[in-house]
Amino acid sequence: MKKSEIASKISKEYQIPLELAKSLVEGVFSWIVQKTAEDGRVEIRGFGVFKLRRRGGRFTKNPKTGIEMYVEERYLMSFKPSKKLLKRLNEKV
């Protein structure tokens, strides 16, 4: 599902202008990214936890050329769904 589809559904369900719905969706996503970057964790009760994980630097080989190179450390965002969300999803299946 795309952000525009989410905004469209919100706009129809709550009878608000599409532009307002788009800015709300964009605002929520940017807030989650910003807070996760600042605090390392965002918990939305009943939905799940967005967490920042550090992946350390390492040496690896290019499988095509065999040349060894160093891959810098980086951060990844992970999501762990809440028990409530998992239960709801499994009821639908």
Side-chain angles (χ1 to χ4, degrees), residues 51-60 70-78:
K51 212 178 197 180
L52 204 57
R53 288 186 339 184
R54 182 182 154 276
R55 186 164 185 184
R58 65 194 189 284
F59 284 97
T60 185
Y70 184 74
V71 177
E72 299 286 329
E73 83 169 25
R74 59 186 172 162
Y75 290 90
L76 305 169
M77 183 184 262
S78 64

Side-chain angles (χ1 to χ4, degrees), residues 28-87:
V28 168
F29 286 135
S30 66
W31 179 83
I32 289 172
V33 170
Q34 178 187 355
K35 284 300 187 184
T36 304
E38 288 174 7
D39 304 336
R41 175 185 162 97
V42 171
E43 180 178 346
I44 302 172
R45 298 279 168 112
F47 186 70
V49 178
F50 293 93
K51 212 178 197 180
L52 204 57
R53 288 186 339 184
R54 182 182 154 276
R55 186 164 185 184
R58 65 194 189 284
F59 284 97
T60 185
K61 278 190 178 182
N62 181 331
K64 194 172 189 178
T65 63
I67 297 173
E68 191 171 284
M69 61 184 166
Y70 184 74
V71 177
E72 299 286 329
E73 83 169 25
R74 59 186 172 162
Y75 290 90
L76 305 169
M77 183 184 262
S78 64
F79 175 73
K80 182 180 179 189
S82 70
K83 289 180 183 179
K84 191 184 234 182
L85 177 62
L86 286 174
K87 183 179 177 186

